[in-house]
Amino acid sequence: MNYKIIIDASHGGDDIGSLLYNIPEKNITLDLSRYMYQKLKELNVPVTLIRNEDETISPWSRFKKMAEVYGDHKYVIVISNHVYAKKGYEIVYGLKQPSQLPNRVASNLMSNGEQVICHTKRLGSNAHLDYYPIHRSSANMQVLRISFPFVQNRGDLDHGVEQIVNAVYEYIGGEKEQNYYEVTKGDTMWNVAKKFHMDVDELKWLNGFTDNLLRTGDKIKIKEEEKSISYVVGKGENLYQICKKFHVDMKELMEYNHKKSNLIQMGDIIKIPKDKSIVHSVSNGENLYQIAGLYHTDVKKIMEKNRLDDSQIQPGDIIAI
């Protein structure tokens, strides 16, 4: 494992950052950074913290510390943690950096129901100059400036840290690397998607891609066997209706999703555990194609399992998956 990680808890000391519900940003970033450091140490990854206490560090001193720790080269990853009063995460990486790592981090967060913006950011109209000094200060290091959403439940942010750590660990050669495919010459988004029984939009979403470009040598995330189904809550739906739709016990579903109450809202993602005997109640307007997509199977298999002569179904029908 050649990679080394630097964690930068933004702000500190006289620089409190933003004031989020009367909590200084510097306090939250330090807590998150310490937790991130702990999780990486548990994985035996070489890692250091730029600040481990409430101290004032000038931008120049901060960048100097980063360069002095492991040197300025491509096998050094810098994660600069920030917090802002928005709902989702923002990941900003350097204009000259490869997009593989930030896309992987974004993918891990999105796979766990988080909203993520992952992009580069230019300074004004200058097409070659990064917006943030932390990116401009490094010639070779891979620098991720990650803004966490401010939430009242600290545990939610800890979960985000874990997803970021998992993505970084996989990227640097951790044990979960087998869930990635290395792009070879001649590969296109379409033939890679077809190879792994996915569609192009799904492959792009999984990797945080905004276009169809693939580069030889990139490792991209592919779909692994899923232990659950991600169901997006529709307008007016409640947890009781979803339990009835999937024939699952409400208490079990709440425990599976780590929910303390049955309150949900439109757009929430509910994980439905898979088992060998899962059945689906057909809702008004649903067709076999939609149901097959929901369970990552195909219409032919559903028809064969249910001994259907055609694809016509009615609301209230019970379909075995």
Side-chain angles (χ1 to χ4, degrees), residues 63-299:
F63 304 148
K64 185 181 178 183
K65 277 189 173 186
M66 290 178 189
E68 288 175 347
V69 176
Y70 299 123
D72 183 8
H73 60 75
K74 66 179 181 179
Y75 291 115
V76 177
I77 295 169
V78 177
I79 301 174
S80 182
N81 292 320
H82 300 253
V83 181
Y84 65 169
K86 292 186 180 181
K87 189 174 182 180
Y89 288 74
E90 183 186 42
I91 302 170
V92 182
Y93 58 100
L95 293 168
K96 296 179 181 178
Q97 287 179 221
S99 61
Q100 185 179 346
L101 173 59
N103 282 337
R104 187 170 294 189
V105 173
S107 172
N108 256 32
L109 289 167
M110 289 190 293
S111 296
N112 284 271
E114 302 290 352
Q115 295 181 18
V116 184
I117 299 172
C118 182
H119 61 152
T120 57
K121 196 169 182 179
R122 294 174 171 80
L123 183 63
S125 59
N126 193 319
H128 305 291
L129 197 61
D130 282 290
Y131 181 85
Y132 292 110
I134 195 169
H135 294 116
R136 299 199 299 268
S137 67
S138 168
N140 300 300
M141 290 185 283
Q142 298 190 56
V143 182
L144 302 186
R145 186 186 189 277
I146 301 179
S147 295
F148 287 73
F150 177 78
V151 294
Q152 297 287 353
N153 184 359
R154 166 63 196 277
D156 291 341
L157 292 185
D158 284 352
H159 186 62
V161 168
E162 290 161 11
Q163 298 310 315
I164 293 166
V165 167
N166 289 342
V168 171
Y169 184 59
E170 293 168 18
Y171 175 81
I172 65 178
E175 59 187 16
K176 296 183 180 179
E177 191 68 23
Q178 66 270 18
N179 296 326
Y180 291 85
Y181 170 77
E182 185 169 339
V183 177
T184 59
K185 188 176 181 180
D187 273 337
T188 65
M189 192 73 73
W190 183 83
N191 64 31
V192 172
K194 184 179 179 183
K195 182 182 293 186
F196 294 101
H197 307 288
M198 304 168 67
D199 60 46
V200 170
D201 287 341
E202 184 181 17
L203 184 62
K204 288 170 67 176
W205 178 84
L206 198 58
N207 288 277
F209 291 149
T210 56
D211 54 42
N212 293 327
L213 297 178
L214 291 178
R215 294 183 299 181
T216 301
D218 276 357
K219 290 183 179 179
I220 59 176
K221 193 169 187 178
I222 56 173
K223 185 173 66 179
E224 54 186 307
E225 184 61 32
E226 297 176 12
K227 296 179 181 178
S228 64
I229 300 147
S230 296
Y231 180 78
V232 181
V233 178
K235 186 177 181 181
E237 281 191 312
N238 57 48
L239 204 58
Y240 172 78
Q241 293 169 326
I242 293 172
C243 289
K244 186 176 179 182
K245 184 186 192 82
F246 291 98
H247 292 263
V248 294
D249 178 78
M250 183 179 289
K251 183 179 179 182
E252 291 178 4
L253 190 63
M254 287 174 63
E255 289 176 353
Y256 193 80
N257 286 271
H258 307 291
K259 294 183 71 65
K260 294 181 179 178
S261 78
N262 61 1
L263 297 177
I264 56 174
Q265 58 185 1
M266 186 177 70
D268 284 352
I269 296 177
I270 303 296
K271 296 287 186 180
I272 312 294
K274 276 188 176 181
D275 60 47
K276 295 180 181 179
S277 59
I278 195 166
V279 293
H280 177 90
S281 297
V282 179
S283 298
N284 189 33
E286 279 189 319
N287 57 48
L288 279 187
Y289 176 79
Q290 293 169 325
I291 295 170
L294 181 62
Y295 293 95
H296 302 292
T297 184
D298 58 57
V299 171

Side-chain angles (χ1 to χ4, degrees), residues 282-319:
V282 179
S283 298
N284 189 33
E286 279 189 319
N287 57 48
L288 279 187
Y289 176 79
Q290 293 169 325
I291 295 170
L294 181 62
Y295 293 95
H296 302 292
T297 184
D298 58 57
V299 171
K300 185 179 179 182
K301 287 180 180 178
I302 293 179
M303 290 180 65
E304 288 174 352
K305 187 159 188 174
N306 290 273
R307 299 181 181 179
L308 298 175
D309 295 326
D310 57 46
S311 60
Q312 298 302 310
I313 54 175
Q314 302 296 326
D317 286 352
I318 304 298
I319 302 294

